[in-house]
Amino acid sequence: MSATNERLTSEDRREQILAAASDVFGERGFAGGTTDAIAKVAGVSQAYVVRMFGSKQELFIAATERACERVIDTFRAAIAELDGEETVVERLAALGRSYVDLIADRGTLLTMMHAFTLGHDPRVGPLIRERYLDIYRFARDEAGLGPEVASHFLATGMLINTGMAMRLPDIADSDDDARELLGCLWGDSTDALVAMTTAAPILPEALRR
């Protein structure tokens, strides 16, 4: 463990590991991600990761909680900047703009995507269902979108997440249909977001084991 890591507080180290876990689980999922790979990305020992979280499942659950909290915190910050007189369309646009901050952190959204596929799991299933409904309730009530607009907003977000999981932006320059679909999602921001998501690193093979 480096001298820099030794100066970090326990909470800082926890966040460092959870950020690394988001990167690894986001790309590899729960089954493919390992505590060893997460430790290497975080720059700590595997023993330290296990000591802090207890097991890979508990680490995945913590990473999922962190991802869901980050989504709501990002949306809440966007709404807090408004004066309360905006129309539903203007509030929806503010939330859409804030989504760029989430897209920049692929691990956050993709960890949630992997959690969605574990709805059958007795621990992960109840957690992700409740947290996803928390996001829906926020959009519907705190953001004031109402049920129909809130559900459309979440549906668009899921389409964005699915495209990211497939790395659809990687073929945007060579496939007109991919470019068209991304353009429908991102509008004038398409070029910038394609560049940002295409540049997102893929874990080296050595960190996949």
Side-chain angles (χ1 to χ4, degrees):
M1 192 176 297
S2 71
T4 300
N5 282 337
E6 290 175 357
R7 288 195 295 269
L8 295 177
T9 66
S10 177
E11 190 57 35
D12 287 338
R13 289 176 179 171
R14 177 183 172 84
E15 173 58 24
Q16 181 182 24
I17 293 169
L18 286 175
S22 290
D23 288 341
V24 175
F25 286 136
E27 181 177 323
R28 304 297 295 165
F30 175 70
T34 66
T35 54
D36 184 50
I38 292 165
K40 288 176 181 176
V41 172
V44 299
S45 69
Q46 183 184 27
Y48 185 83
V49 172
V50 174
R51 187 164 64 249
M52 177 167 281
F53 291 92
S55 68
K56 184 172 81 166
Q57 183 185 49
E58 292 302 322
L59 178 53
F60 182 78
I61 287 170
T64 300
E65 285 270 24
R66 173 184 179 271
C68 295
E69 288 172 2
R70 176 149 193 247
V71 170
I72 289 184
D73 288 347
T74 297
F75 290 160
R76 185 166 283 135
I79 293 299
E81 293 181 355
L82 305 180
D83 60 21
E85 300 300 321
E86 290 80 9
T87 65
V88 168
V89 172
E90 289 170 334
R91 290 195 293 274
L92 181 61
L95 291 176
R97 289 191 296 271
S98 73
Y99 213 85
V100 174
D101 292 333
L102 297 172
I103 292 171
D105 181 1
R106 284 175 54 89
T108 291
L109 297 179
L110 296 186
T111 294
M112 288 179 63
M113 291 285 284
H114 285 294
F116 295 153
T117 70
L118 294 173
H120 63 281
D121 185 270
R123 290 287 308 283
V124 180
L127 167 66
I128 195 59
R129 286 191 288 272
E130 186 59 26
R131 293 297 173 264
Y132 194 70
L133 287 174
D134 284 343
I135 296 171
Y136 169 68
R137 294 181 191 111
F138 170 83
R140 181 192 65 192
D141 302 329
E142 288 189 50
L145 300 184
E148 291 188 6
V149 177
S151 61
H152 177 74
F153 175 68
L154 293 185
T156 301
M158 286 301 297
L159 180 55
I160 290 173
N161 296 356
T162 300
M164 288 175 56
M166 293 187 291
R167 294 193 71 97
L168 195 62
D170 288 10
I171 63 170
D173 289 336
S174 60
D175 190 303
D176 291 341
D177 293 330
R179 167 70 63 166
E180 179 181 85
L181 177 56
L182 293 171
C184 290
L185 293 171
W186 293 336
D188 294 340
S189 300
T190 300
D191 288 342
L193 288 173
V194 164
M196 179 175 67
T197 54
T198 301
I202 298 174
L203 290 179
E205 188 62 32
L207 295 182
R208 295 183 175 193
R209 298 188 290 270

